[in-house]
Amino acid sequence: VYSKTGQWPLIYASTSVLPLVKKTVPQAPIWEANYSNGMLRDSPFLQFTDKPYDRDVFNGTMQQLRAYAGYPQ
């Protein structure tokens, strides 16, 4: 993806495979699925439950989320 777009893809991964993901694509941001231990400091997103539906949070402020998504400030 990076070689075609110049952007690293957002990688969705469970906590158990994070070491492999970070080793394979260390530059890519991570959307972590972690239902028990909370958010890692360097993960921009966290899915913290999937019952009764997915619940996710962004690790930052609304202004940081808008900047991350490419919205004008």
Side-chain angles (χ1 to χ4, degrees):
V1 173
Y2 181 80
S3 65
K4 297 288 185 185
T5 67
Q7 298 290 320
W8 290 103
L10 179 63
I11 306 292
Y12 177 83
S14 66
T15 304
S16 63
V17 298
L18 285 182
L20 177 61
V21 169
K22 289 181 177 189
K23 181 179 178 183
T24 305
V25 282
Q27 303 88 339
I30 297 172
W31 190 316
E32 181 186 2
N34 182 341
Y35 303 146
S36 60
N37 297 325
M39 181 173 280
L40 295 178
R41 291 181 196 172
D42 60 350
S43 293
F45 298 94
L46 171 71
Q47 181 179 332
F48 59 91
T49 187
D50 62 353
K51 295 182 177 44
Y53 49 85
D54 289 357
R55 303 224 19 220
D56 307 275
V57 295
F58 176 70
N59 188 12
T61 65
M62 180 58 77
Q63 183 177 2
Q64 289 169 322
L65 177 59
R66 291 178 63 82
Y68 186 90
Y71 283 86
Q73 297 298 319

